[in-house]
PDB file of all heavy atoms in Angstrom:
ATOM      1  N   GLU A   1      71.123   0.931  51.019  1.00 98.00           N
ATOM      2  CA  GLU A   1      70.952  -0.042  49.946  1.00 98.00           C
ATOM      3  C   GLU A   1      72.296  -0.699  49.636  1.00 98.00           C
ATOM      4  O   GLU A   1      73.228  -0.038  49.191  1.00 98.00           O
ATOM      5  CB  GLU A   1      70.401   0.624  48.685  1.00 98.00           C
ATOM      6  CG  GLU A   1      70.179  -0.361  47.566  1.00 98.00           C
ATOM      7  CD  GLU A   1      69.677   0.280  46.284  1.00 98.00           C
ATOM      8  OE1 GLU A   1      69.733   1.505  46.135  1.00 98.00           O
ATOM      9  OE2 GLU A   1      69.234  -0.489  45.414  1.00 98.00           O
ATOM     10  N   PRO A   2      72.404  -2.029  49.851  1.00 98.00           N
ATOM     11  CA  PRO A   2      73.669  -2.717  49.583  1.00 98.00           C
ATOM     12  C   PRO A   2      73.846  -3.022  48.097  1.00 98.00           C
ATOM     13  O   PRO A   2      72.870  -3.181  47.361  1.00 98.00           O
ATOM     14  CB  PRO A   2      73.535  -4.012  50.384  1.00 98.00           C
ATOM     15  CG  PRO A   2      72.070  -4.295  50.393  1.00 98.00           C
ATOM     16  CD  PRO A   2      71.406  -2.936  50.419  1.00 98.00           C
ATOM     17  N   TYR A   3      75.107  -3.091  47.700  1.00 97.00           N
ATOM     18  CA  TYR A   3      75.458  -3.491  46.339  1.00 97.00           C
ATOM     19  C   TYR A   3      76.307  -4.747  46.408  1.00 97.00           C
ATOM     20  O   TYR A   3      76.876  -5.071  47.454  1.00 97.00           O
ATOM     21  CB  TYR A   3      76.196  -2.352  45.627  1.00 97.00           C
ATOM     22  CG  TYR A   3      75.239  -1.303  45.127  1.00 97.00           C
ATOM     23  CD1 TYR A   3      74.664  -0.383  46.001  1.00 97.00           C
ATOM     24  CD2 TYR A   3      74.865  -1.257  43.796  1.00 97.00           C
ATOM     25  CE1 TYR A   3      73.756   0.566  45.557  1.00 97.00           C
ATOM     26  CE2 TYR A   3      73.954  -0.303  43.336  1.00 97.00           C
ATOM     27  CZ  TYR A   3      73.408   0.593  44.223  1.00 97.00           C
ATOM     28  OH  TYR A   3      72.503   1.520  43.778  1.00 97.00           O
ATOM     29  N   GLU A   4      76.404  -5.474  45.297  1.00 96.00           N
ATOM     30  CA  GLU A   4      77.092  -6.758  45.286  1.00 96.00           C
ATOM     31  C   GLU A   4      78.570  -6.656  45.648  1.00 96.00           C
ATOM     32  O   GLU A   4      79.150  -7.625  46.139  1.00 96.00           O
ATOM     33  CB  GLU A   4      76.923  -7.434  43.932  1.00 96.00           C
ATOM     34  CG  GLU A   4      75.493  -7.910  43.724  1.00 96.00           C
ATOM     35  CD  GLU A   4      75.324  -8.760  42.486  1.00 96.00           C
ATOM     36  OE1 GLU A   4      76.318  -9.333  42.009  1.00 96.00           O
ATOM     37  OE2 GLU A   4      74.189  -8.849  42.012  1.00 96.00           O
ATOM     38  N   ASP A   5      79.174  -5.502  45.442  1.00 98.00           N
ATOM     39  CA  ASP A   5      80.593  -5.345  45.775  1.00 98.00           C
ATOM     40  C   ASP A   5      80.816  -5.027  47.257  1.00 98.00           C
ATOM     41  O   ASP A   5      81.935  -4.798  47.688  1.00 98.00           O
ATOM     42  CB  ASP A   5      81.244  -4.273  44.903  1.00 98.00           C
ATOM     43  CG  ASP A   5      80.702  -2.874  45.137  1.00 98.00           C
ATOM     44  OD1 ASP A   5      79.762  -2.705  45.955  1.00 98.00           O
ATOM     45  OD2 ASP A   5      81.214  -1.930  44.507  1.00 98.00           O
ATOM     46  N   GLY A   6      79.736  -5.010  48.049  1.00 97.00           N
ATOM     47  CA  GLY A   6      79.836  -4.741  49.475  1.00 97.00           C
ATOM     48  C   GLY A   6      79.627  -3.285  49.849  1.00 97.00           C
ATOM     49  O   GLY A   6      79.559  -2.939  51.024  1.00 97.00           O
ATOM     50  N   SER A   7      79.533  -2.408  48.850  1.00 98.00           N
ATOM     51  CA  SER A   7      79.313  -0.988  49.133  1.00 98.00           C
ATOM     52  C   SER A   7      77.829  -0.733  49.393  1.00 98.00           C
ATOM     53  O   SER A   7      76.984  -1.598  49.162  1.00 98.00           O
ATOM     54  CB  SER A   7      79.805  -0.131  47.963  1.00 98.00           C
ATOM     55  OG  SER A   7      79.018  -0.372  46.805  1.00 98.00           O
ATOM     56  N   TYR A   8      77.538   0.462  49.898  1.00 98.00           N
ATOM     57  CA  TYR A   8      76.164   0.873  50.204  1.00 98.00           C
ATOM     58  C   TYR A   8      75.924   2.276  49.678  1.00 98.00           C
ATOM     59  O   TYR A   8      76.819   3.123  49.725  1.00 98.00           O
ATOM     60  CB  TYR A   8      75.920   0.910  51.722  1.00 98.00           C
ATOM     61  CG  TYR A   8      75.747  -0.433  52.351  1.00 98.00           C
ATOM     62  CD1 TYR A   8      76.838  -1.248  52.613  1.00 98.00           C
ATOM     63  CD2 TYR A   8      74.480  -0.895  52.682  1.00 98.00           C
ATOM     64  CE1 TYR A   8      76.684  -2.491  53.197  1.00 98.00           C
ATOM     65  CE2 TYR A   8      74.311  -2.141  53.268  1.00 98.00           C
ATOM     66  CZ  TYR A   8      75.413  -2.934  53.520  1.00 98.00           C
ATOM     67  OH  TYR A   8      75.253  -4.167  54.096  1.00 98.00           O
ATOM     68  N   VAL A   9      74.716   2.515  49.208  1.00 98.00           N
ATOM     69  CA  VAL A   9      74.244   3.861  48.907  1.00 98.00           C
ATOM     70  C   VAL A   9      73.227   4.197  49.989  1.00 98.00           C
ATOM     71  O   VAL A   9      72.445   3.340  50.402  1.00 98.00           O
ATOM     72  CB  VAL A   9      73.622   3.958  47.505  1.00 98.00           C
ATOM     73  CG1 VAL A   9      72.970   5.310  47.284  1.00 98.00           C
ATOM     74  CG2 VAL A   9      74.672   3.701  46.445  1.00 98.00           C
ATOM     75  N   VAL A  10      73.259   5.446  50.466  1.00 98.00           N
ATOM     76  CA  VAL A  10      72.395   5.862  51.570  1.00 98.00           C
ATOM     77  C   VAL A  10      71.533   7.037  51.121  1.00 98.00           C
ATOM     78  O   VAL A  10      72.042   8.018  50.577  1.00 98.00           O
ATOM     79  CB  VAL A  10      73.231   6.279  52.801  1.00 98.00           C
ATOM     80  CG1 VAL A  10      72.324   6.626  53.970  1.00 98.00           C
ATOM     81  CG2 VAL A  10      74.226   5.183  53.180  1.00 98.00           C
ATOM     82  N   TYR A  11      70.223   6.923  51.343  1.00 96.00           N
ATOM     83  CA  TYR A  11      69.249   7.954  50.996  1.00 96.00           C
ATOM     84  C   TYR A  11      68.523   8.403  52.262  1.00 96.00           C
ATOM     85  O   TYR A  11      68.199   7.579  53.102  1.00 96.00           O
ATOM     86  CB  TYR A  11      68.171   7.397  50.055  1.00 96.00           C
ATOM     87  CG  TYR A  11      68.673   6.602  48.891  1.00 96.00           C
ATOM     88  CD1 TYR A  11      68.910   5.239  49.006  1.00 96.00           C
ATOM     89  CD2 TYR A  11      68.885   7.207  47.668  1.00 96.00           C
ATOM     90  CE1 TYR A  11      69.358   4.500  47.927  1.00 96.00           C
ATOM     91  CE2 TYR A  11      69.330   6.474  46.583  1.00 96.00           C
ATOM     92  CZ  TYR A  11      69.563   5.117  46.714  1.00 96.00           C
ATOM     93  OH  TYR A  11      70.009   4.388  45.648  1.00 96.00           O
ATOM     94  N   PHE A  12      68.230   9.692  52.352  1.00 98.00           N
ATOM     95  CA  PHE A  12      67.442  10.239  53.457  1.00 98.00           C
ATOM     96  C   PHE A  12      66.083  10.669  52.905  1.00 98.00           C
ATOM     97  O   PHE A  12      65.983  11.728  52.275  1.00 98.00           O
ATOM     98  CB  PHE A  12      68.153  11.432  54.093  1.00 98.00           C
ATOM     99  CG  PHE A  12      69.359  11.053  54.906  1.00 98.00           C
ATOM    100  CD1 PHE A  12      70.601  10.940  54.305  1.00 98.00           C
ATOM    101  CD2 PHE A  12      69.247  10.807  56.265  1.00 98.00           C
ATOM    102  CE1 PHE A  12      71.714  10.575  55.049  1.00 98.00           C
ATOM    103  CE2 PHE A  12      70.353  10.448  57.014  1.00 98.00           C
ATOM    104  CZ  PHE A  12      71.593  10.335  56.407  1.00 98.00           C
ATOM    105  N   PRO A  13      65.036   9.877  53.107  1.00 97.00           N
ATOM    106  CA  PRO A  13      63.718  10.207  52.544  1.00 97.00           C
ATOM    107  C   PRO A  13      63.176  11.571  52.964  1.00 97.00           C
ATOM    108  O   PRO A  13      62.460  12.215  52.191  1.00 97.00           O
ATOM    109  CB  PRO A  13      62.813   9.082  53.056  1.00 97.00           C
ATOM    110  CG  PRO A  13      63.739   7.947  53.334  1.00 97.00           C
ATOM    111  CD  PRO A  13      65.019   8.585  53.790  1.00 97.00           C
ATOM    112  N   ASP A  14      63.500  12.031  54.174  1.00 97.00           N
ATOM    113  CA  ASP A  14      63.005  13.329  54.646  1.00 97.00           C
ATOM    114  C   ASP A  14      63.789  14.508  54.081  1.00 97.00           C
ATOM    115  O   ASP A  14      63.378  15.655  54.249  1.00 97.00           O
ATOM    116  CB  ASP A  14      63.063  13.400  56.177  1.00 97.00           C
ATOM    117  CG  ASP A  14      62.129  12.421  56.852  1.00 97.00           C
ATOM    118  OD1 ASP A  14      61.016  12.196  56.318  1.00 97.00           O
ATOM    119  OD2 ASP A  14      62.496  11.872  57.904  1.00 97.00           O
ATOM    120  N   LEU A  15      64.930  14.221  53.458  1.00 97.00           N
ATOM    121  CA  LEU A  15      65.827  15.281  52.991  1.00 97.00           C
ATOM    122  C   LEU A  15      66.208  15.025  51.538  1.00 97.00           C
ATOM    123  O   LEU A  15      67.287  14.492  51.242  1.00 97.00           O
ATOM    124  CB  LEU A  15      67.086  15.329  53.877  1.00 97.00           C
ATOM    125  CG  LEU A  15      66.823  15.551  55.363  1.00 97.00           C
ATOM    126  CD1 LEU A  15      68.053  15.223  56.179  1.00 97.00           C
ATOM    127  CD2 LEU A  15      66.369  16.986  55.599  1.00 97.00           C
ATOM    128  N   PRO A  16      65.334  15.379  50.601  1.00 96.00           N
ATOM    129  CA  PRO A  16      65.640  15.149  49.194  1.00 96.00           C
ATOM    130  C   PRO A  16      66.995  15.749  48.817  1.00 96.00           C
ATOM    131  O   PRO A  16      67.335  16.861  49.209  1.00 96.00           O
ATOM    132  CB  PRO A  16      64.501  15.859  48.461  1.00 96.00           C
ATOM    133  CG  PRO A  16      63.388  15.893  49.451  1.00 96.00           C
ATOM    134  CD  PRO A  16      64.055  16.041  50.798  1.00 96.00           C
ATOM    135  N   GLY A  17      67.775  14.972  48.095  1.00 96.00           N
ATOM    136  CA  GLY A  17      69.094  15.420  47.676  1.00 96.00           C
ATOM    137  C   GLY A  17      70.201  15.030  48.631  1.00 96.00           C
ATOM    138  O   GLY A  17      71.377  15.167  48.314  1.00 96.00           O
ATOM    139  N   CYS A  18      69.860  14.539  49.806  1.00 98.00           N
ATOM    140  CA  CYS A  18      70.871  14.103  50.773  1.00 98.00           C
ATOM    141  C   CYS A  18      71.134  12.618  50.527  1.00 98.00           C
ATOM    142  O   CYS A  18      70.383  11.754  50.995  1.00 98.00           O
ATOM    143  CB  CYS A  18      70.404  14.369  52.203  1.00 98.00           C
ATOM    144  SG  CYS A  18      71.712  14.087  53.419  1.00 98.00           S
ATOM    145  N   VAL A  19      72.181  12.347  49.776  1.00 98.00           N
ATOM    146  CA  VAL A  19      72.544  10.994  49.359  1.00 98.00           C
ATOM    147  C   VAL A  19      74.044  10.851  49.511  1.00 98.00           C
ATOM    148  O   VAL A  19      74.802  11.797  49.262  1.00 98.00           O
ATOM    149  CB  VAL A  19      72.153  10.751  47.881  1.00 98.00           C
ATOM    150  CG1 VAL A  19      72.555   9.364  47.419  1.00 98.00           C
ATOM    151  CG2 VAL A  19      70.673  10.982  47.662  1.00 98.00           C
ATOM    152  N   THR A  20      74.494   9.660  49.904  1.00 98.00           N
ATOM    153  CA  THR A  20      75.924   9.398  50.008  1.00 98.00           C
ATOM    154  C   THR A  20      76.159   7.914  49.775  1.00 98.00           C
ATOM    155  O   THR A  20      75.220   7.155  49.507  1.00 98.00           O
ATOM    156  CB  THR A  20      76.485   9.856  51.374  1.00 98.00           C
ATOM    157  OG1 THR A  20      77.914   9.804  51.345  1.00 98.00           O
ATOM    158  CG2 THR A  20      75.949   9.041  52.521  1.00 98.00           C
ATOM    159  N   GLN A  21      77.404   7.497  49.878  1.00 98.00           N
ATOM    160  CA  GLN A  21      77.734   6.087  49.721  1.00 98.00           C
ATOM    161  C   GLN A  21      78.944   5.754  50.562  1.00 98.00           C
ATOM    162  O   GLN A  21      79.681   6.636  50.993  1.00 98.00           O
ATOM    163  CB  GLN A  21      77.972   5.741  48.253  1.00 98.00           C
ATOM    164  CG  GLN A  21      79.193   6.382  47.629  1.00 98.00           C
ATOM    165  CD  GLN A  21      80.457   5.552  47.833  1.00 98.00           C
ATOM    166  OE1 GLN A  21      80.419   4.331  47.848  1.00 98.00           O
ATOM    167  NE2 GLN A  21      81.585   6.223  48.002  1.00 98.00           N
ATOM    168  N   GLY A  22      79.138   4.465  50.821  1.00 98.00           N
ATOM    169  CA  GLY A  22      80.298   4.006  51.571  1.00 98.00           C
ATOM    170  C   GLY A  22      80.785   2.682  51.023  1.00 98.00           C
ATOM    171  O   GLY A  22      80.024   1.929  50.416  1.00 98.00           O
ATOM    172  N   ASP A  23      82.055   2.379  51.262  1.00 98.00           N
ATOM    173  CA  ASP A  23      82.665   1.151  50.753  1.00 98.00           C
ATOM    174  C   ASP A  23      82.116  -0.104  51.421  1.00 98.00           C
ATOM    175  O   ASP A  23      82.160  -1.188  50.844  1.00 98.00           O
ATOM    176  CB  ASP A  23      84.183   1.190  50.945  1.00 98.00           C
ATOM    177  CG  ASP A  23      84.832   2.261  50.082  1.00 98.00           C
ATOM    178  OD1 ASP A  23      84.268   2.613  49.027  1.00 98.00           O
ATOM    179  OD2 ASP A  23      85.912   2.748  50.470  1.00 98.00           O
ATOM    180  N   ASP A  24      81.632   0.032  52.655  1.00 98.00           N
ATOM    181  CA  ASP A  24      81.023  -1.060  53.398  1.00 98.00           C
ATOM    182  C   ASP A  24      80.045  -0.422  54.389  1.00 98.00           C
ATOM    183  O   ASP A  24      79.896   0.799  54.406  1.00 98.00           O
ATOM    184  CB  ASP A  24      82.076  -1.930  54.098  1.00 98.00           C
ATOM    185  CG  ASP A  24      83.031  -1.143  54.979  1.00 98.00           C
ATOM    186  OD1 ASP A  24      82.649  -0.076  55.504  1.00 98.00           O
ATOM    187  OD2 ASP A  24      84.183  -1.588  55.161  1.00 98.00           O
ATOM    188  N   LEU A  25      79.368  -1.235  55.211  1.00 98.00           N
ATOM    189  CA  LEU A  25      78.351  -0.675  56.094  1.00 98.00           C
ATOM    190  C   LEU A  25      78.908   0.322  57.110  1.00 98.00           C
ATOM    191  O   LEU A  25      78.344   1.418  57.259  1.00 98.00           O
ATOM    192  CB  LEU A  25      77.572  -1.790  56.797  1.00 98.00           C
ATOM    193  CG  LEU A  25      76.375  -1.343  57.629  1.00 98.00           C
ATOM    194  CD1 LEU A  25      75.386  -0.514  56.802  1.00 98.00           C
ATOM    195  CD2 LEU A  25      75.674  -2.555  58.227  1.00 98.00           C
ATOM    196  N   PRO A  26      80.024   0.032  57.795  1.00 98.00           N
ATOM    197  CA  PRO A  26      80.561   1.035  58.722  1.00 98.00           C
ATOM    198  C   PRO A  26      80.952   2.345  58.018  1.00 98.00           C
ATOM    199  O   PRO A  26      80.696   3.434  58.532  1.00 98.00           O
ATOM    200  CB  PRO A  26      81.775   0.354  59.351  1.00 98.00           C
ATOM    201  CG  PRO A  26      81.492  -1.107  59.236  1.00 98.00           C
ATOM    202  CD  PRO A  26      80.752  -1.251  57.927  1.00 98.00           C
ATOM    203  N   ASP A  27      81.540   2.234  56.837  1.00 98.00           N
ATOM    204  CA  ASP A  27      81.913   3.434  56.084  1.00 98.00           C
ATOM    205  C   ASP A  27      80.664   4.193  55.641  1.00 98.00           C
ATOM    206  O   ASP A  27      80.607   5.424  55.711  1.00 98.00           O
ATOM    207  CB  ASP A  27      82.768   3.049  54.876  1.00 98.00           C
ATOM    208  CG  ASP A  27      83.313   4.252  54.132  1.00 98.00           C
ATOM    209  OD1 ASP A  27      83.828   5.188  54.792  1.00 98.00           O
ATOM    210  OD2 ASP A  27      83.240   4.249  52.882  1.00 98.00           O
ATOM    211  N   ALA A  28      79.642   3.456  55.210  1.00 98.00           N
ATOM    212  CA  ALA A  28      78.384   4.100  54.796  1.00 98.00           C
ATOM    213  C   ALA A  28      77.738   4.839  55.962  1.00 98.00           C
ATOM    214  O   ALA A  28      77.196   5.934  55.780  1.00 98.00           O
ATOM    215  CB  ALA A  28      77.427   3.063  54.215  1.00 98.00           C
ATOM    216  N   MET A  29      77.812   4.278  57.167  1.00 97.00           N
ATOM    217  CA  MET A  29      77.243   4.952  58.340  1.00 97.00           C
ATOM    218  C   MET A  29      78.008   6.241  58.631  1.00 97.00           C
ATOM    219  O   MET A  29      77.393   7.279  58.888  1.00 97.00           O
ATOM    220  CB  MET A  29      77.267   4.031  59.557  1.00 97.00           C
ATOM    221  CG  MET A  29      76.641   4.647  60.793  1.00 97.00           C
ATOM    222  SD  MET A  29      74.930   5.192  60.621  1.00 97.00           S
ATOM    223  CE  MET A  29      74.072   3.683  60.993  1.00 97.00           C
ATOM    224  N   ARG A  30      79.341   6.193  58.571  1.00 97.00           N
ATOM    225  CA  ARG A  30      80.140   7.424  58.790  1.00 97.00           C
ATOM    226  C   ARG A  30      79.816   8.475  57.732  1.00 97.00           C
ATOM    227  O   ARG A  30      79.639   9.655  58.046  1.00 97.00           O
ATOM    228  CB  ARG A  30      81.638   7.102  58.757  1.00 97.00           C
ATOM    229  CG  ARG A  30      82.180   6.462  60.010  1.00 97.00           C
ATOM    230  CD  ARG A  30      83.690   6.360  59.993  1.00 97.00           C
ATOM    231  NE  ARG A  30      84.202   5.533  58.899  1.00 97.00           N
ATOM    232  CZ  ARG A  30      84.298   4.196  58.926  1.00 97.00           C
ATOM    233  NH1 ARG A  30      83.904   3.537  60.002  1.00 97.00           N
ATOM    234  NH2 ARG A  30      84.775   3.543  57.894  1.00 97.00           N
ATOM    235  N   MET A  31      79.740   8.051  56.489  1.00 97.00           N
ATOM    236  CA  MET A  31      79.439   8.985  55.403  1.00 97.00           C
ATOM    237  C   MET A  31      78.024   9.548  55.548  1.00 97.00           C
ATOM    238  O   MET A  31      77.780  10.716  55.257  1.00 97.00           O
ATOM    239  CB  MET A  31      79.620   8.299  54.047  1.00 97.00           C
ATOM    240  CG  MET A  31      81.042   7.845  53.777  1.00 97.00           C
ATOM    241  SD  MET A  31      82.254   9.171  53.803  1.00 97.00           S
ATOM    242  CE  MET A  31      81.762  10.084  52.358  1.00 97.00           C
ATOM    243  N   ALA A  32      77.095   8.721  56.010  1.00 98.00           N
ATOM    244  CA  ALA A  32      75.715   9.178  56.221  1.00 98.00           C
ATOM    245  C   ALA A  32      75.665  10.241  57.309  1.00 98.00           C
ATOM    246  O   ALA A  32      74.966  11.259  57.171  1.00 98.00           O
ATOM    247  CB  ALA A  32      74.816   8.002  56.566  1.00 98.00           C
ATOM    248  N   GLN A  33      76.403  10.032  58.396  1.00 96.00           N
ATOM    249  CA  GLN A  33      76.436  11.026  59.467  1.00 96.00           C
ATOM    250  C   GLN A  33      77.003  12.347  58.954  1.00 96.00           C
ATOM    251  O   GLN A  33      76.475  13.419  59.260  1.00 96.00           O
ATOM    252  CB  GLN A  33      77.274  10.514  60.635  1.00 96.00           C
ATOM    253  CG  GLN A  33      76.622   9.392  61.385  1.00 96.00           C
ATOM    254  CD  GLN A  33      77.512   8.852  62.479  1.00 96.00           C
ATOM    255  OE1 GLN A  33      78.689   8.577  62.271  1.00 96.00           O
ATOM    256  NE2 GLN A  33      76.940   8.705  63.653  1.00 96.00           N
ATOM    257  N   GLU A  34      78.058  12.274  58.167  1.00 96.00           N
ATOM    258  CA  GLU A  34      78.664  13.498  57.626  1.00 96.00           C
ATOM    259  C   GLU A  34      77.720  14.184  56.647  1.00 96.00           C
ATOM    260  O   GLU A  34      77.532  15.401  56.700  1.00 96.00           O
ATOM    261  CB  GLU A  34      79.982  13.158  56.946  1.00 96.00           C
ATOM    262  CG  GLU A  34      80.719  14.373  56.430  1.00 96.00           C
ATOM    263  CD  GLU A  34      82.067  14.011  55.845  1.00 96.00           C
ATOM    264  OE1 GLU A  34      82.813  13.240  56.468  1.00 96.00           O
ATOM    265  OE2 GLU A  34      82.367  14.530  54.749  1.00 96.00           O
ATOM    266  N   ALA A  35      77.121  13.407  55.733  1.00 97.00           N
ATOM    267  CA  ALA A  35      76.197  13.993  54.752  1.00 97.00           C
ATOM    268  C   ALA A  35      75.009  14.648  55.447  1.00 97.00           C
ATOM    269  O   ALA A  35      74.586  15.749  55.070  1.00 97.00           O
ATOM    270  CB  ALA A  35      75.717  12.915  53.779  1.00 97.00           C
ATOM    271  N   LEU A  36      74.475  13.977  56.465  1.00 96.00           N
ATOM    272  CA  LEU A  36      73.351  14.538  57.215  1.00 96.00           C
ATOM    273  C   LEU A  36      73.750  15.845  57.879  1.00 96.00           C
ATOM    274  O   LEU A  36      73.021  16.846  57.796  1.00 96.00           O
ATOM    275  CB  LEU A  36      72.857  13.532  58.251  1.00 96.00           C
ATOM    276  CG  LEU A  36      71.736  13.997  59.179  1.00 96.00           C
ATOM    277  CD1 LEU A  36      70.490  14.390  58.395  1.00 96.00           C
ATOM    278  CD2 LEU A  36      71.417  12.902  60.193  1.00 96.00           C
ATOM    279  N   SER A  37      74.899  15.869  58.518  1.00 94.00           N
ATOM    280  CA  SER A  37      75.367  17.094  59.184  1.00 94.00           C
ATOM    281  C   SER A  37      75.491  18.250  58.208  1.00 94.00           C
ATOM    282  O   SER A  37      75.016  19.358  58.474  1.00 94.00           O
ATOM    283  CB  SER A  37      76.727  16.852  59.845  1.00 94.00           C
ATOM    284  OG  SER A  37      76.610  15.926  60.880  1.00 94.00           O
ATOM    285  N   LEU A  38      76.126  17.994  57.089  1.00 94.00           N
ATOM    286  CA  LEU A  38      76.345  19.062  56.104  1.00 94.00           C
ATOM    287  C   LEU A  38      75.028  19.518  55.476  1.00 94.00           C
ATOM    288  O   LEU A  38      74.836  20.711  55.228  1.00 94.00           O
ATOM    289  CB  LEU A  38      77.333  18.610  55.044  1.00 94.00           C
ATOM    290  CG  LEU A  38      78.755  18.395  55.563  1.00 94.00           C
ATOM    291  CD1 LEU A  38      79.620  17.746  54.494  1.00 94.00           C
ATOM    292  CD2 LEU A  38      79.366  19.703  56.044  1.00 94.00           C
ATOM    293  N   HIS A  39      74.128  18.584  55.230  1.00 96.00           N
ATOM    294  CA  HIS A  39      72.838  18.947  54.646  1.00 96.00           C
ATOM    295  C   HIS A  39      72.031  19.825  55.610  1.00 96.00           C
ATOM    296  O   HIS A  39      71.507  20.871  55.216  1.00 96.00           O
ATOM    297  CB  HIS A  39      72.056  17.682  54.295  1.00 96.00           C
ATOM    298  CG  HIS A  39      70.920  17.922  53.381  1.00 96.00           C
ATOM    299  ND1 HIS A  39      71.041  17.887  52.011  1.00 96.00           N
ATOM    300  CD2 HIS A  39      69.618  18.215  53.632  1.00 96.00           C
ATOM    301  CE1 HIS A  39      69.866  18.141  51.455  1.00 96.00           C
ATOM    302  NE2 HIS A  39      68.987  18.342  52.423  1.00 96.00           N
ATOM    303  N   LEU A  40      71.971  19.417  56.876  1.00 94.00           N
ATOM    304  CA  LEU A  40      71.236  20.207  57.875  1.00 94.00           C
ATOM    305  C   LEU A  40      71.895  21.569  58.092  1.00 94.00           C
ATOM    306  O   LEU A  40      71.203  22.588  58.233  1.00 94.00           O
ATOM    307  CB  LEU A  40      71.136  19.445  59.194  1.00 94.00           C
ATOM    308  CG  LEU A  40      70.317  18.158  59.168  1.00 94.00           C
ATOM    309  CD1 LEU A  40      70.395  17.457  60.525  1.00 94.00           C
ATOM    310  CD2 LEU A  40      68.885  18.412  58.750  1.00 94.00           C
TER     311      LEU A  40
END
């Protein structure tokens, strides 16, 4: 989910509670990969 400042919030529908954010899309993707790894 993008925000007006260019940041993103990332939600994993299959994994309640697994949420992260990034300063931009590439950062959000890196943070999502890390959050997913740690959650699993």
